[in-house]
Amino acid sequence: MPTPNQPGPYDAVLGGAPTAPRDGVVLGGLDGVRQQLRAPDATVRAAALPKALTYGEAGLDLVIEVLRDDRQGLADEAYEVLRQRPEAKAKDAVARYEPLRSEKGIDYTHLRDLLKAGKWREADEETYEVMIRAVGSKSGDWFTRDELLNFPCTDLRTLDGLWVKYSQGTFGFSVQKKIDVECGAKLDGAYPGDKIWHTFCERVGWRKGYSVVYYHDLKANPSFSPAGEFPVWGVRFGVEWVGWGGCGGWFVSSLAQRLVNCSR
């Protein structure tokens, strides 16, 4: 039972006190949300974004403002919130946003330029190069399961956001995650079993019946490719075909699980 004259857990109190001072003012409405966005606690600031959307168009405008002006350090969170919105202005703000952030000092400019130019295979190779550097290894090395399950969240969001944006929602790790779940995978980083893995591979164009598909036979075109066809470097292992073996299954599952954890 809330106390009438005390703030709720996410209400803004003028002066920043955790409880309302004797002569303090508890702000409500969008003014309260704006105050909450200036709170020192990052969790409190992030909680203000979905709350803002309860105030209609003015609240949506506020979230878009946060996306465009990242003084609160919430652009990535605002991007995730707006990605789920149906409004045209939200979709436009998401389309214009280019998140190139990295926790590990990785420069994603070249990857962005390849994707923007529609060079999907070159972008696939570049995705491997930047990801292997993000875990502190060098070109030619491979990933451990733990490295994928603990991949830097900021970098994973950047990579996925770029693939999703420039393919207009056809390619990306989050697209593959959605399909993986639809096929019955548990997203625990383990190989899901032949039945689920083969079903997934057929959905994304990596297998045809009992046969694997050669890399050069992939369509590599968002206008014709099945959803989730790229990125695919993680299941190639340096060979010229895709959709085989158990390693690809745990690779997809591990990154999918990491996306889930990074969204919490």
Side-chain angles (χ1 to χ4, degrees), residues 36-37 41-51 74 77 81:
Q36 187 179 333
L37 285 169
D41 188 326
T43 303
V44 174
R45 294 199 303 273
L49 295 173
K51 187 175 180 180
L74 292 173
E77 288 82 354
V81 168

Side-chain angles (χ1 to χ4, degrees), residues 57-128:
E57 187 171 359
L60 179 62
D61 289 341
L62 177 57
V63 178
I64 293 173
E65 178 186 325
V66 171
L67 178 69
R68 292 173 175 167
D69 181 6
D70 194 25
R71 283 176 293 182
Q72 297 94 352
L74 292 173
D76 287 340
E77 288 82 354
Y79 176 76
E80 291 300 322
V81 168
L82 290 169
R83 278 177 69 180
Q84 314 303 319
R85 302 297 299 182
E87 296 88 351
K89 65 168 63 177
K91 292 182 181 296
D92 181 66
V94 166
R96 292 173 182 274
Y97 179 60
E98 288 194 338
L100 297 181
R101 293 179 177 77
S102 172
E103 296 175 32
K104 303 296 181 179
I106 306 298
D107 183 358
Y108 291 107
T109 304
H110 184 48
L111 174 61
R112 180 201 61 194
D113 293 344
L114 289 171
L115 290 167
K116 191 172 183 179
K119 296 180 178 180
W120 307 108
R121 297 180 194 274
E122 293 93 329
D124 194 38
E125 297 295 338
E126 177 67 7
T127 298
Y128 161 75

Side-chain angles (χ1 to χ4, degrees), residues 10 12 23 69 94 101-102 116 120 123 128 135 155 157 177 181 215 218 247:
Y10 296 118
D23 298 317
D69 181 6
V94 166
R101 293 179 177 77
S102 172
K116 191 172 183 179
W120 307 108
Y128 161 75
V135 298
D155 294 75
R157 282 192 290 262
K177 181 198 78 171
V181 171
Y215 184 71
L218 296 176
C247 293

